[in-house]
């Protein structure tokens, strides 16, 4: 049989229950048998050895039995100290014993059922224990009846009966406990079995598998985490397939143009003049840009992107980008503005060329998706430790389902794949990697807080000297 977890847990429960039953039955049998080593007197359970010791101590202290009858009841109580009360014996259908103390001449010096000097007990059964002081016999302890007052009673049947009763009760309790343990263990292991089966299906390539969450405990948390992992793997696999298709698509377009132009020149359809070579050169530049973007993204994701960091005034960097794009914004009838506190210089430790690349990408997207007559605003602000830059527009914004994916490779909300509106789909993915390589973060809100439409991209970097 396989070492399954449910089998181990059930076996552990069974072993614990078995040990508990054995110990309970054994202790009950021992305890019952032990009680028969006592006799009952004055409603107290007394060991003969304890009574012998008490009487020997009295004799040694008084140098005789004088006055024993006056303190006899107290000696019985002292000898019974720490033992079970006499009602245990009564519950078992037993009565009290009568006890006498005889001196070495056979005279009664104390009697639990009468005065000193009474006749010695003669009615059977009688129990006799000699009292010794310094190994010398000084008297005798005589008890009417058997131990614990069970007249002519053999303790073996009673001990056996109690042991069997306890065993049956323990057996019923153990079976009930084992059944409950099996149910509990099954509830624990069932999700683990489901997770095992789901893991095998994922290993065979089925990334759509999910495991139902059946509880709110650690196993439920593990199941939920597994489902998140499976969903992430499925998404990454989908992106991988899309990446391969997108790369093929993006490379095919300029390559097809280059191939067509070269073949036309070879066939004499187009002359190899400056105008046609310029068109061919534009396709080569497009192809080179795409390959360079892929290389930059791959290096950034692998953590191998070299950054030439130096103190940079981010506000000045933003002013430069806004100024460089004013002509393009005017051609599209878009108002491009920047909001920076006039007295503020915002210094960060960064690679200015890479940050320019990020800002250019964000502004390019904003201008591309803002209709004529719209506004694009760049805002720069910060606090003692952080600097923030936001690029917001009042265009149509992003669909809710597009927002979580805008920084994914080759992801474009424009499903028509129109280059005029969609780009290559790598710009925002590169921007995220570059910002994270600087120890910052980038995000998007669509629509921006307090606006009814449009989109706002933002990035955060650490100030120079902030200690982070």
């Amino acid at each position: 049989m396989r070492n399954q977890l449910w089998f181990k847990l059930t076996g552990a429960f069974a072993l614990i229950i078995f040990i508990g039953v054995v110990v309970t039955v054994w202790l009950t049998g021992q305890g019952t048998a032990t009680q028969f080593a006592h006799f009952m007197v004055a409603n107290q359970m007394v060991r003969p050895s304890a009574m012998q010791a008490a009487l020997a101590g009295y004799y040694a202290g008084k140098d005789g039995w004088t006055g024993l009858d006056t303190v006899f009841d107290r000696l019985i109580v002292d000898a019974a100290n720490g033992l079970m009360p006499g009602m245990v014996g009564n519950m078992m259908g037993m009565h009290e014993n009568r006890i006498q103390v005889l001196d070495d001449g056979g005279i009664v010096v104390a009697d639990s059922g009468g005065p000193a000097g009474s006749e010695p007990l003669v009615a059977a059964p009688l129990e006799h224990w000699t009292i010794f002081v310094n190994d010398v016999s000084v008297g005798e302890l005589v008890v009417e009846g058997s131990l614990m007052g069970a007249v002519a009673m053999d303790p073996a049947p009673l001990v056996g009966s109690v042991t069997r009763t306890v065993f049956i009760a323990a057996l019923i309790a153990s079976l009930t406990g084992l059944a409950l343990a099996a149910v509990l263990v099954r509830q624990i292991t069932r999700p683990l079995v489901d997770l095992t089966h789901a893991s095998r299906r994922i290993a065979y390539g089925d990334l759509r598998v999910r495991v139902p969450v059946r509880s709110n405990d650690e196993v439920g948390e593990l199941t939920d985490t597994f489902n998140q992992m499976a969903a992430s793997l499925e998404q990454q696999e989908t992106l991988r397939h899309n990446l391969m298709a997108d790369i093929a698509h993006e490379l095919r377009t300029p390559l097809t143009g280059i191939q067509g132009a070269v073949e036309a020149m070879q066939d004499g359809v187009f002359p190899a003049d400056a105008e046609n070579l310029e068109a061919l050169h534009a396709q080569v530049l497009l192809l080179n840009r795409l390959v360079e973007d892929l290389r930059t993204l791959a290096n950034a994701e692998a953590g191998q992107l070299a950054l030439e960091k130096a103190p940079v005034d981010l506000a000045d960097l933003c002013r430069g980008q806004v100024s460089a794009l004013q002509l393009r914004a005017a051609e599209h009838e878009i108002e491009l503005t920047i909001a920076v506190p006039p007295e503020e210089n915002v210094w960060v430790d960064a690679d200015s060329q890479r940050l320019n690349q990020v800002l250019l990408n964000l502004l390019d997207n904003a201008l591309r998706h803002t209709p004529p007559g719209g506004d694009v605003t760049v805002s720069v602000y910060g606090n003692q430790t952080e600097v923030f830059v936001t690029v917001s527009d009042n265009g149509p914004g992003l669909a809710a389902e597009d927002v979580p994916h805008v920084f994914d490779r080759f992801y474009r909300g424009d499903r028509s794949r129109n280059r005029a509106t969609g780009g290559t789909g790598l710009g925002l993915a590169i921007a995220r990697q570059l910002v994270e390589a600087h120890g910052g973060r980038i995000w998007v809100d669509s629509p921006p807080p307090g606006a009814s439409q449009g989109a706002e991209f933002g990035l955060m970097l650490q100030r120079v000297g902030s200690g982070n």
Side-chain angles (χ1 to χ4, degrees):
M1 177 179 290
R2 295 170 54 193
N3 261 340
Q4 295 181 337
L5 180 59
W6 71 265
F7 181 76
K8 291 181 179 179
L9 292 176
T10 304
F13 277 109
L15 180 60
I16 293 173
I17 292 172
F18 174 75
I19 293 175
V21 169
V22 171
V23 171
T24 301
V25 173
W26 182 79
L27 290 178
T28 302
Q30 291 294 315
T32 304
T34 300
Q35 299 312 311
F36 281 96
H38 303 75
F39 56 80
M40 298 296 302
V41 59
N43 200 34
Q44 299 292 329
M45 186 183 299
V46 187
R47 287 193 185 98
S49 58
M51 195 65 194
Q52 284 177 285
L55 291 171
Y58 181 86
Y59 183 91
K62 297 292 186 178
D63 197 21
W65 297 114
T66 304
L68 176 63
D69 59 327
T70 61
V71 296
F72 192 48
D73 291 342
R74 171 54 56 190
L75 283 176
I76 292 174
V77 173
D78 291 343
N81 187 30
L83 298 176
M84 296 174 63
M87 63 180 181
V88 175
N90 295 333
M91 289 172 61
M92 301 174 70
M94 303 172 184
H95 58 78
E96 292 187 0
N97 304 84
R98 182 180 175 184
I99 182 172
Q100 289 182 341
V101 179
L102 283 64
D103 62 12
D104 54 353
I107 298 174
V108 177
V109 294
D111 189 344
S112 65
S118 59
E119 294 295 324
L121 294 170
V122 294
L126 295 176
E127 300 285 347
H128 298 265
W129 288 274
T130 303
I131 303 171
F132 294 93
V133 175
N134 296 326
D135 297 328
V136 177
S137 175
V138 297
E140 187 177 33
L141 179 67
V142 181
V143 180
E144 181 183 42
S146 301
L147 294 176
M148 289 201 64
V151 180
M153 174 176 284
D154 182 7
L158 179 60
V159 173
S161 176
V162 172
T163 302
R164 285 192 298 271
T165 302
V166 173
F167 177 78
I168 293 173
L171 182 61
I172 294 174
S174 63
L175 291 177
T176 304
L178 188 60
L180 293 176
V183 173
L184 176 62
V185 168
R186 187 58 180 166
Q187 289 179 346
I188 294 175
T189 57
R190 182 179 178 184
L192 300 180
V193 173
D194 293 341
L195 286 172
T196 301
H197 293 162
S199 299
R200 290 198 186 99
R201 291 176 60 184
I202 288 179
Y204 291 135
D206 183 6
L207 301 179
R208 296 172 298 175
V209 62
R210 300 292 184 272
V211 179
V213 179
R214 305 180 187 276
S215 62
N216 294 325
D217 54 12
E218 292 82 356
V219 177
E221 184 178 357
L222 174 62
T223 303
D224 186 59
T225 303
F226 176 88
N227 289 336
Q228 293 178 17
M229 179 198 70
S232 178
L233 288 175
E234 183 180 17
Q235 181 183 10
Q236 292 302 318
E237 184 66 14
T238 301
L239 291 176
R240 188 180 70 84
H241 284 297
N242 292 341
L243 175 63
M244 300 301 295
D246 288 336
I247 290 177
H249 175 86
E250 298 296 337
L251 292 176
R252 183 173 60 247
T253 301
L255 286 175
T256 300
I258 293 172
Q259 180 182 357
V262 171
E263 290 176 350
M265 292 179 186
Q266 288 177 336
D267 295 339
V269 177
F270 293 146
D273 54 15
E275 181 180 357
N276 289 328
L277 289 176
E278 180 65 26
L280 187 61
H281 183 252
Q283 295 294 326
V284 172
L285 290 177
L286 177 62
L287 181 61
N288 186 66
R289 175 192 169 192
L290 178 59
V291 173
E292 181 62 23
D293 284 348
L294 286 171
R295 188 186 69 83
T296 300
L297 183 60
N299 289 337
E301 290 181 341
Q304 299 176 351
L305 187 65
L307 297 177
E308 298 179 1
K309 290 185 177 181
V312 177
D313 183 356
L314 192 56
D316 188 60
L317 204 68
C318 292
R319 292 189 191 97
Q321 283 293 344
V322 169
S323 176
L325 292 174
Q326 284 293 348
L327 179 60
R328 176 181 169 186
E331 290 176 350
H332 292 82
E333 301 178 7
I334 299 173
E335 184 176 358
L336 177 59
T337 58
I338 183 170
V340 180
E343 72 282 358
E344 178 148 10
N345 292 321
V346 186
W347 292 91
V348 295
D349 188 24
D351 186 325
S352 59
Q353 182 179 353
R354 295 301 185 183
L355 285 188
N356 265 321
Q357 185 177 355
V358 173
L359 292 172
L360 178 60
N361 182 271
L362 297 181
L363 286 169
D364 179 69
N365 280 336
L367 293 173
R368 183 185 298 120
H369 293 93
T370 301
D375 300 314
V376 174
T377 303
V378 179
S379 300
V380 184
Y381 57 95
N383 52 40
Q384 293 182 348
T385 60
E386 298 172 330
V387 179
F388 300 90
V389 177
T390 61
V391 178
S392 57
D393 63 68
N394 59 356
L398 299 166
E401 63 271 17
D402 292 333
V403 172
H405 305 289
V406 293
F407 296 107
D408 293 342
R409 293 168 297 185
F410 289 111
Y411 190 89
R412 288 185 292 184
D414 182 9
R415 302 302 191 272
S416 67
R417 307 188 67 84
N418 184 350
R419 290 188 183 278
T421 59
T424 64
L426 290 175
L428 289 176
I430 294 174
R432 179 179 64 177
Q433 293 297 330
L434 292 177
V435 171
E436 291 178 354
H438 282 83
R441 61 185 177 91
I442 190 170
W443 69 91
V444 61
D445 291 317
S446 183
S452 59
Q453 66 178 17
E456 180 180 271
F457 286 84
L459 63 92
M460 181 278 293
L461 296 173
Q462 298 293 329
R463 271 187 185 269
V464 170
S466 64
N468 294 318

